[in-house]
Amino acid sequence: MSDPLRLGIAGLGTVGIGVVKIVQQHAALIAARAGRSIEITAVSARSRDKDRGADISGYAWEDDPVALARRADVDIVVELMGGSDGPAKAVTEAALSAGKDVVCANKALLAHHGQALAERAESNGRALRFEAAVAGGIPCVKALTEGLAGNAVARVMGVMNGTCNYILTRMEEAGLSYETVFAEADQLGFLEADPALDVGGIDAGHKLALLAAIAFGTRVDFEGVELEGIDRVSIDDIRHAGDMGYRIKLLGVAQMTGRGLEQRMAPCLVPKKSPLGQLPGATNMVVLEGDAVGQIVLRGAGAGEGPTASAVMADVIDIARGLRIPAFGRPAASLDTAVPARARAPLAYYLRMTLQDRPGALAKVAAALGEAGVSIDRMRQYDHKENFAPVLIVTHKTTRDAIEAAIDNFTATGVVVGEPVALAIQQV
Ligand code: HSE
């Protein structure tokens, strides 16, 4: 058997400790599969003395993760600190420049600096792998780079933020408001330190941008992702969607069109009976569509100690086996610059708004929709409150541009109270 492969782990939070446990518990199994043993030689984290529920006393300690990245007895740096810049970026750059392979779970870092890091890895002849960055334990990066390597990919979709899916599921099941469930999620520790990363769709947008880069051979373009969070989804929306046979999910869709790369992460209505509609709680789902293979649906835990560490170890074991695949599935220099395009696929839309309850108010909305070329499929007024009339409209298929033009026009007439909600209905 070859020499052991030596890991340096930067970051001993939930995922870092998960990796330590797998390396310790499955040493023989991993050595048999990889053809060489995998050892941890050094670790680094913010606090040395914390009780982490795993024995790390046998590993060298580094206060400075960059020093860990440069150690002569480390072959792979496992970066699990997180953050799009700062120490995580410094560690990754230092490791690649020092001739180490890097495995990380850091979607924010890769969404912002993936191209430069992939180029640095390749110019140093090293691997940069990030299976754990997208949808936790679901092997969707491998599925795209390896399993579907013979396909032209038509579309990538996914529910890739467990916290948002938990919030939406809990709202529906308990009939609770967004604000109440958000507070619960906060109490349970489900939210990122900056909750906007979750509920603003940013974390899921990072993941979609990474998958799109692999699927379509383009440089990661997070700036090109149209982002909408779940914070304006109300319990009324969830109930109305349910009455029509739909559920609301924070869904990412990326596809290459003749106009460019469409990437959109936004709450959508999906049929209750579809795989995406049946996705409960914090679970993630990634749907990949290839021209030869058809549709692949991958479902599993999108976060947490075991699932995310499982994905980290898959990358580590690939490197141990000598499998060297470019970070985004083809050499970084050959990735095209993405031309971002606004999502324009014709879809039906769910519109909810509150109107002033006075003569002609609804007519103004109907006229604005008509002028923008949007045709109404169904409409309902419900729960009048004093001078206000909540209205729900489902349109025939149209474009987001047309919906937004109509909303601008009817909002300008002064009959609408507050901001209307417009959600696409995806037949997935
Ligand atoms: N906050 C993320 C989620 C963690 O809820 O899915 C994994 O990226």
Side-chain angles (χ1 to χ4, degrees), residues 108 161 163-164 167 178 182 186 190-207 222 227-231 250 265:
N161 182 276
T163 305
C164 288
I167 290 174
Y178 171 81
F182 178 92
D186 197 15
F190 284 6
L191 290 161
E192 301 274 353
D194 173 6
L197 286 173
D198 287 317
V199 297
I202 300 167
D203 167 82
H206 288 152
K207 296 166 181 166
F222 171 65
L227 280 184
E228 224 177 274
I230 62 164
D231 47 345
L250 178 66
M265 180 60 67

Side-chain angles (χ1 to χ4, degrees), residues 140-164:
C140 53
V141 172
K142 280 175 95 57
L144 268 177
T145 49
E146 298 174 50
L148 303 192
N151 286 255
V153 177
R155 193 162 65 148
V156 172
M157 291 186 285
V159 169
M160 296 183 283
N161 182 276
T163 305
C164 288

Side-chain angles (χ1 to χ4, degrees), residues 18-61:
V19 171
V20 168
K21 288 182 184 167
I22 293 180
V23 170
Q24 292 177 351
Q25 287 164 7
H26 290 323
L29 178 89
I30 290 169
R33 288 185 177 153
R36 62 196 291 198
S37 61
I38 291 175
E39 297 173 352
I40 298 168
T41 45
V43 294
S44 176
R46 268 198 285 258
S47 149
R48 185 169 189 169
D49 300 325
K50 193 170 157 185
D51 178 9
R52 296 185 160 89
D55 181 9
I56 56 166
S57 59
Y59 313 141
W61 178 270

